[in-house]
Amino acid sequence: MKVYITRPPAYASSPDHVVRVTVDAANKRVGVEMFIVFSPNPSQAIAQDGTVLESAGKHYKVIAASAFDYELLKKSTGWADRQAWHLTFRWDARAFTDPIPLYTYSMATKMSAPELSRTTYQNNLSVGFVVPFADSTFEECSVTVNINPDVNKGDCVVLGVDPEDVERTDYSASAQVRELILLPGVQIAAPQTCPPDGTINVQVQVVDANDHPLVRDAEIFLEAVNGYLPKTRVKTTNGQASVPFMALGLVAGDSARIKAGFKYFSGASDADIQIRD
């Protein structure tokens, strides 16, 4: 499992803190703890039970904890191809919210993930659990952590993974990590023309974030603007699938569009078709 750390400018007003992420591969669980800076009492011993940690010469104490439970998340209706679960730490309440399926919410509201963050999350700190495919193993999922952009006011400590699997990125938000590195896409290809009331085959291909073909399989959701698709949901085989499109009721000069995407990320790709004799 890989962990990606970003420093969004929107979090510049957050207090001095440390986020501790503990990956427990044996139990398929990712623990998340929030630590806030404090000044220890010189006359008292510092707790050695994990509730206090030292970073950059400062002491931090834990004030909230939560977790992503892989097996529990898999039982949720939000579990799907191309999904990300988010924990939000609310500074006003000094507590984590429950994990929510990010793309389930953003699709329903028609917002992008950053827009959802600015409104629903109100730019509170967030930690993500990214699921590329519905059949992804725990190890194939990733964690994203947003912390204060000021290196003197925020840090992230990661336990349970190889240090080489922790990447401190130059991206300004975890949304960029998800879209540009972690999550798959789909490409759709179709003939440019179709005769009136005719039928053509449309091809779909699962791709990675760089549009390179993948042999991983996903459930692809399709939609036709004009014309007819007898299959609006198809499971790929070795990353590919073919579905028929019928120009039922369409005449020369009409046009159609076919959209392809995922359960909670529709319209990831589209193809235009002209109706011609």
Side-chain angles (χ1 to χ4, degrees), residues 210-228:
N210 294 311
D211 291 333
H212 297 145
L214 293 174
V215 295
R216 289 294 299 266
D217 290 326
E219 188 174 35
I220 305 300
F221 288 69
L222 299 125
E223 176 187 354
V225 179
N226 294 334
Y228 175 67

Side-chain angles (χ1 to χ4, degrees), residues 39-267:
S39 297
N41 187 331
S43 63
Q44 295 181 349
I46 296 175
Q48 302 296 317
D49 56 2
T51 61
V52 174
L53 60 80
E54 185 176 354
S55 177
K58 294 181 286 187
H59 290 88
Y60 297 80
K61 60 181 178 180
V62 64
I63 62 171
S66 189
F68 297 104
D69 187 313
Y70 172 82
E71 294 295 350
L72 187 61
L73 294 180
K74 284 187 70 174
K75 297 176 183 178
S76 168
T77 56
W79 189 268
D81 297 307
R82 205 185 195 282
Q83 182 63 281
W85 299 80
H86 262 218
L87 281 172
T88 300
F89 182 81
R90 299 194 63 89
W91 295 108
D92 55 352
R94 291 294 195 265
F96 284 103
T97 62
D98 292 332
I100 67 166
L102 179 64
Y103 290 100
T104 305
Y105 277 64
S106 62
M107 182 176 182
T109 59
K110 303 300 182 183
M111 296 183 191
S112 66
E115 288 173 333
L116 188 68
S117 176
R118 288 193 295 270
T119 55
T120 305
Y121 299 154
Q122 299 178 342
N123 287 331
N124 284 285
L125 179 140
S126 62
V127 182
F129 184 79
V130 184
V131 182
F133 297 95
D135 63 354
S136 292
T137 64
F138 177 78
E139 291 75 15
E140 290 173 326
C141 298
S142 300
V143 175
T144 60
V145 185
N146 291 321
I147 58 175
N148 196 301
D150 186 343
V151 296
N152 296 313
K153 289 184 63 179
D155 200 3
C156 179
V157 174
V158 182
L159 306 176
V161 301
D162 192 306
E164 293 183 355
D165 289 327
V166 179
E167 184 174 336
R168 295 178 179 269
T169 79
D170 292 327
Y171 293 113
S172 62
S174 59
Q176 294 176 323
V177 174
R178 291 193 307 272
E179 301 299 331
L180 300 178
I181 299 177
L182 301 177
L183 290 176
V186 60
Q187 290 181 341
I188 185 170
Q192 294 182 342
T193 63
C194 179
D197 290 320
T199 299
I200 58 174
N201 283 324
V202 176
Q203 309 295 324
V204 294
Q205 170 71 60
V206 178
V207 296
D208 65 13
N210 294 311
D211 291 333
H212 297 145
L214 293 174
V215 295
R216 289 294 299 266
D217 290 326
E219 188 174 35
I220 305 300
F221 288 69
L222 299 125
E223 176 187 354
V225 179
N226 294 334
Y228 175 67
L229 288 167
K231 294 182 179 180
T232 56
R233 188 184 303 184
V234 61
K235 183 76 173 182
T236 62
T237 300
N238 296 324
Q240 298 179 327
S242 177
V243 296
F245 165 78
M246 302 175 181
L248 295 179
L250 301 183
V251 300
D254 286 341
S255 63
R257 176 178 296 176
I258 305 173
K259 301 177 182 180
F262 300 87
K263 183 176 182 180
Y264 295 117
F265 197 83
S266 61

